[in-house]
Amino acid sequence: MARISVSMAGGLASLRGSADQDVGYSTVGLRAATTMHWGSTLVVPHVSAAWQHAFDDVTPGAGLAFATTGIGFAIDGVPLAEDSALVDAGLDFALGARTTAGVSYSGQFGDSVTDNAVKGRVTILF
């Protein structure tokens, strides 16, 4: 449960209230990876695809009131996607005994929602 109480100092504009941002998720999908050699470099391609479902109320909200007058109001946030497709694909390279580098794409596609990312990383163990 993510019920948040808010109390802010700020004179006439100070607020108090609570926010409800309780959302549960379930995810079902597949992951695959393999190891292969590209010349003398070890390469690990990987891919995953999944379906994600959001439970409970997918619209975050807050009930607030001015601390000085007690006049209340409600704020609703942007609704979260209830059902989404998640995809991820990338390559990892072993550059040495203790060094790896990788690049990957991840995306989320749902009810009026699209989120895309390209990530790169370098790992050095010492």
Side-chain angles (χ1 to χ4, degrees):
M1 232 280 148
R3 192 114 177 115
I4 301 168
S5 294
V6 177
S7 182
M8 301 175 139
L12 294 175
S14 63
L15 299 173
R16 63 189 152 134
S18 62
D20 184 13
Q21 300 178 3
D22 187 23
V23 178
Y25 289 97
S26 67
T27 305
V28 176
L30 298 170
R31 292 183 186 163
T34 189
T35 303
M36 59 171 95
H37 290 279
W38 184 30
S40 62
T41 305
L42 186 63
V43 180
V44 180
H46 55 88
V47 65
S48 67
W51 169 68
Q52 184 178 59
H53 179 73
F55 295 98
D56 299 324
D57 186 10
V58 295
T59 304
L64 301 170
F66 289 103
T68 55
T69 63
I71 297 173
F73 58 95
I75 298 174
D76 287 332
V78 176
L80 304 171
E82 190 170 359
D83 292 299
S84 297
L86 308 176
V87 295
D88 187 87
L91 293 170
D92 292 334
F93 302 93
L95 303 177
R98 298 180 177 200
T99 306
T100 60
V103 63
S104 64
Y105 163 81
S106 62
Q108 176 182 1
F109 306 95
D111 308 325
S112 302
V113 174
T114 301
D115 185 18
N116 295 287
V118 175
K119 302 179 220 174
R121 67 176 175 78
V122 175
T123 304
I124 301 171
L125 302 174
F126 54 94

